Amino acid sequence: MSSPPVIRPYGDTTGDGMIQVSFTLPLPAGKRGEGAALQLAGKMGIDPAMVVHARPIGEQHTFYVVYGRVNHLVEPGKVVVAERDYPLLAPKDVNAAVRARLRRKLVVVGACIGTDAHTVGIDAILNVKGIAGEKGLEYYREIRVVNLGAQVAVADLVAAATAEKADAVLVSQVVTQKDAHLHNTRAMSAAFREAFPPARRPLLVVGGPRFDELMAAELGVDRIFGRGTTPREVASYLAHTLAGAR
């Protein structure tokens, strides 16, 4: 079923243009702060707007939720996203492709780099327990996983990839304050390009909830996985890219 050429957001009835946004202002809670929130909403094109929630965050900041109408239209046909360009494979098919093409186990080194200590994402992809009913890459017989854990320095990641003769390096970044995930990814990709000739460089894959999947080339990596990625998607991508699975 094709999408309509244009659509509007809705809150109460279809096409009413109602949206809800939230933000924090460096103002104490009170009428002046709510007035500032409505002024900001108006400048964002939300009219009429109402403050439906205001919660103090300390003495000098307030979190607001504003509800109101916008006149903007969305054109689904012009939306650009990173589509999956490889088949989604069952574990047995991933194993068969790796065994037939590489004739050895595919080696994956994973880590959270920089100061990022949030290993939930990388563990969900790598650990055998996986996530949402899907087993992680450790479950695949033809994939050998080396999980370095959290707060791994880029130099240590490069050293581990070299020592393990990694085919792919998977990096998770959850901490995004001041674009830390972007800075860390650029530093990581630059380090690998300095340490390896192009023909021997491992596949570089990053993932996290705040990445734009269209930025892979800009960040110097081979693939970006966003929110909701499953182990099967990653395994299928590795098998397709490194073992020619179709």
Side-chain angles (χ1 to χ4, degrees):
M1 181 176 179
S2 60
S3 300
V6 294
I7 57 175
R8 294 180 186 273
Y10 77 93
D12 299 317
T13 58
T14 301
D16 61 12
M18 302 298 285
I19 67 168
Q20 180 173 291
V21 297
S22 61
F23 50 83
T24 299
L25 292 178
L27 291 171
K31 289 186 176 181
R32 183 172 296 276
E34 292 194 13
L38 291 175
Q39 183 185 104
L40 176 61
K43 292 183 176 182
M44 294 168 64
I46 306 174
D47 183 30
M50 66 183 81
V51 174
V52 295
H53 178 76
R55 182 182 181 86
I57 303 176
E59 295 182 358
Q60 298 299 321
H61 293 77
T62 308
F63 173 76
Y64 296 97
V65 177
V66 173
Y67 185 66
R69 179 180 292 110
V70 295
N71 294 315
H72 306 298
L73 301 174
V74 176
E75 300 177 80
K78 295 183 178 180
V79 174
V80 179
V81 296
E83 299 280 4
R84 178 165 54 83
D85 54 359
Y86 55 89
L88 197 58
L89 304 173
K92 65 181 180 63
D93 296 321
V94 170
N95 289 327
V98 173
R99 187 164 53 247
R101 179 62 64 90
L102 297 185
R103 300 183 183 277
R104 59 172 175 78
K105 290 191 175 183
L106 189 156
V107 180
V108 174
V109 173
C112 296
I113 59 175
T115 59
D116 200 325
H118 298 75
T119 61
V120 173
I122 195 71
D123 287 345
I125 299 299
L126 297 182
N127 289 0
V128 67
K129 63 183 179 182
I131 188 173
E134 284 192 17
K135 300 291 188 181
L137 300 191
E138 289 179 345
Y139 172 76
Y140 293 72
R141 286 179 314 217
E142 301 301 325
I143 297 179
R144 183 167 70 84
V145 173
V146 181
N147 189 346
L148 301 179
Q151 297 182 319
V152 177
V154 168
D156 293 336
L157 179 62
V158 172
T162 303
E164 300 291 345
K165 297 181 179 180
D167 296 293
V169 171
L170 272 56
V171 166
S172 173
Q173 291 282 265
V174 175
V175 175
T176 60
Q177 283 85 350
K178 297 184 179 180
D179 287 338
H181 60 310
L182 303 182
H183 299 312
N184 289 342
T185 299
R186 289 190 176 100
M188 183 267 294
S189 63
F192 272 91
R193 278 168 172 74
E194 182 177 347
F196 291 88
R200 292 183 51 235
R201 179 179 61 81
L203 201 68
L204 300 179
V205 180
V206 297
R210 295 285 296 277
F211 278 108
D212 179 348
E213 295 182 1
L214 296 174
M215 290 182 65
E218 180 181 337
L219 296 179
V221 298
D222 297 289
R223 189 82 181 197
I224 294 175
F225 286 104
R227 184 180 63 254
T229 298
T230 67
R232 186 181 174 192
E233 289 179 281
V234 177
S236 298
Y237 169 71
L238 296 178
H240 171 75
T241 306
L242 296 173
R246 302 190 184 282

